[in-house]
DNA sequence: CGTCTCCTTGATTGAAATCAACTTAGGTGG
DNA sequence: CCACCTAAGTTGATTTCAATCAAGGAGACG
């Protein structure tokens, strides 16, 4: 989740709860944590969706490949985010490691069982669903932005915020990943960053480490 | 919801449950049903969000107005859809009547109370949240479409499907509404419809009643 | 040192936005 | 019932922004 625990949180009281733990609530962990190397597939569209996962370290993307080869990225997940919620038999999206990362799987207890037997867990899962919903709406808003500039600036601000220090965006994903998340091309992503650099609003320490030099001004650019 | 009970449903077992009823689960209805005339505001961004609503008749839109005057429509809700779920103190979007419509309000019991006391209601609300989430993802996919044509055709197919007869799209909303939902302008919406008419893939009985004359061909157009 | 991948930059094209005019449909009152 | 008025929708001309096509760097790794 990009807006992790941050600005747009919609249910404050949930924030104060302890982080989701395997031991709590009688969840069944499916073995130990699993590691994935960069770009490794965690699960694929159509796989049996009898478990869901939590990011321990690294970043995960969920995406869909279309018949014409286009790829859309639905979401990026950062440590402590839960993903792979699926209420049918199969995953409707694929999940892949953006960078080397560590995840842990839990058996999905089934919705009826869940609601019937376990208030605490129910509440936790509600909160994750809310988070997912909020992010999906935010993503829709991003995609509907008028210009590439707006999309890119919103993305930078969002990503910087999720990582404590809101004036540095440490992009762990490639330009292609960003493009597929924002509905742009790599070229446009690159050009837009260069343009912002030209305005001295950002500075590229490396291609993936970006300093936001004037957050107020940047915020003005995205309405 | 556009994909109401239809194709992309992610939790089949919930479909077989009886429709959500006020009497069930000890919900508090806030008075009788309420009527709204076309374009009337049902609630506004920032209003106290201590209740949620169900559409009884008509169509409702949820939207956000930006500082520059642009409007984004997040979703259209049709009869039996539930909307206005909010887990903070305030609504983050406005809701308005697309056409004359009837809704009923329920007091939001609070998440903790909900999970603690009422399995059946919990399950119901889970299902509505899932539906909302699925729609948000579908909307994001629409917005990321390559062309206006793809967006428009997907929208027509979606809307036709929600209303029993999948070969007629009875648009109850204006061109502006469609444009703000798809991230286009009215002119482009209109032009795209004219283009489809030129291809003899659709026929406009009136501006808002559209016959889909070749669904297979239309489906090919949107990947 | 070469090769591969990722990123950037340049030139051109193309699709949708914008600006503007016109048409149609629907509602109101004479 | 008709004439007008207004809002909604369509169509046309032009501009703009991002996609596409193409080439050139920069860093990582063997």
């Amino acid at each position: 989740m990009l807006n992790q625990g941050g600005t747009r949180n919609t249910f404050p009281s949930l924030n104060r709860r302890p982080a989701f733990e395997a031991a709590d609530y009688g969840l069944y962990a499916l073995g130990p944590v699993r590691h994935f190397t960069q770009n490794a597939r965690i699960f694929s569209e159509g796989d049996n969706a009898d478990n869901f996962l939590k990011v321990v370290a690294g970043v995960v993307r969920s995406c869909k490949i279309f018949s014409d080869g286009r790829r859309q990225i639905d979401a990026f997940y950062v440590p402590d985010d839960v993903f792979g919620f699926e209420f049918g038999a199969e995953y409707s999206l694929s999940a892949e490691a953006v960078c080397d990362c560590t995840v842990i799987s839990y058996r999905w207890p089934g919705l009826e069982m869940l609601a019937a037997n376990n208030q605490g867990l129910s509440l936790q899962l509600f909160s994750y669903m809310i988070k997912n919903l909020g992010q999906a709406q935010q993503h829709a808003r991003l995609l509907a932005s008028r210009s590439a500039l707006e999309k890119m600036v919103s993305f930078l601000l969002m990503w910087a915020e999720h990582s404590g220090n809101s004036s540095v965006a440490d992009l762990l994903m490639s330009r292609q990943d960003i493009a597929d998340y924002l509905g742009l091309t790599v070229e446009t992503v690159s050009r837009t960053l260069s343009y912002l650099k030209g305005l001295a609003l950002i500075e590229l320490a490396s291609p993936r480490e970006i300093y936001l030099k004037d957050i107020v001004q940047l915020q003005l650019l995205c309405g």
Side-chain angles (χ1 to χ4, degrees), chain A:
Chain A
M1 298 302 145
L2 298 180
N3 59 343
Q4 189 196 19
T7 44
R8 282 188 44 74
N9 200 295
T10 47
F11 194 58
S13 75
L14 283 168
N15 287 338
R16 292 181 224 108
R17 300 186 166 270
F20 185 72
E21 291 299 337
D24 300 344
Y25 312 127
L27 268 192
Y28 300 103
L30 295 176
V33 297
R34 289 190 289 158
H35 297 280
F36 292 89
T37 57
Q38 191 170 27
N39 295 321
R41 186 60 71 88
I42 297 171
F43 59 74
S44 298
E45 200 180 329
D47 283 0
N48 190 1
D50 52 3
N51 60 79
F52 62 96
L53 305 91
K54 183 174 70 161
V55 180
V56 174
V59 177
V60 170
R61 63 177 174 251
S62 67
C63 62
K64 205 176 175 78
I65 310 282
F66 294 97
S67 47
D68 61 358
R70 244 179 331 142
R71 183 184 69 159
Q72 163 147 28
I73 291 182
D74 248 56
F76 292 108
Y77 301 101
V78 299
D80 282 331
D81 280 340
V82 170
F83 65 102
F85 270 118
E86 205 64 54
F87 301 87
E90 306 180 341
Y91 290 117
S92 61
L93 300 161
S94 303
E96 299 165 348
V98 166
C99 52
D100 288 7
C101 67
T102 308
V103 305
I104 186 164
S105 311
Y106 301 99
R107 178 171 299 286
W108 173 244
L111 196 45
E112 273 101 347
M113 227 183 79
L114 171 70
N117 298 330
N118 208 315
Q119 304 166 7
L121 177 56
S122 213
L123 190 49
Q124 274 294 333
L125 295 186
F126 253 121
S127 82
Y128 287 122
M129 205 133 47
I130 293 164
K131 213 173 165 187
N132 281 331
L133 185 55
Q135 195 205 9
Q137 288 174 348
Q138 191 176 7
H139 189 202
R141 217 161 296 142
L142 256 187
L143 288 168
S145 295
R146 168 154 289 119
S147 66
L149 186 64
E150 252 184 74
K151 289 181 182 178
M152 196 64 226
V153 171
S154 299
F155 180 78
L156 286 175
L157 289 170
M158 204 161 64
W159 193 255
E161 187 164 326
H162 101 80
S163 60
N165 182 354
S166 67
S167 67
V168 181
D170 193 3
L171 305 176
L172 298 166
M173 71 291 288
S174 70
R175 296 288 188 267
Q176 187 64 60
D177 284 336
I178 298 171
D180 291 343
Y181 183 72
L182 297 178
L184 299 170
T185 60
V186 257
E187 292 96 330
T188 299
V189 168
S190 191
R191 264 187 257 275
T192 306
L193 288 173
S194 299
Y195 175 73
L196 288 168
K197 192 173 69 174
L199 294 178
L201 294 179
I202 65 172
E203 192 174 311
L204 283 77
S206 79
R208 301 204 181 182
E209 194 181 2
I210 301 185
Y211 298 104
L212 311 186
K213 302 183 69 180
D214 189 341
I215 293 184
V216 174
Q217 205 61 34
L218 287 169
Q219 282 167 339
L220 285 177
L221 286 178
C222 52

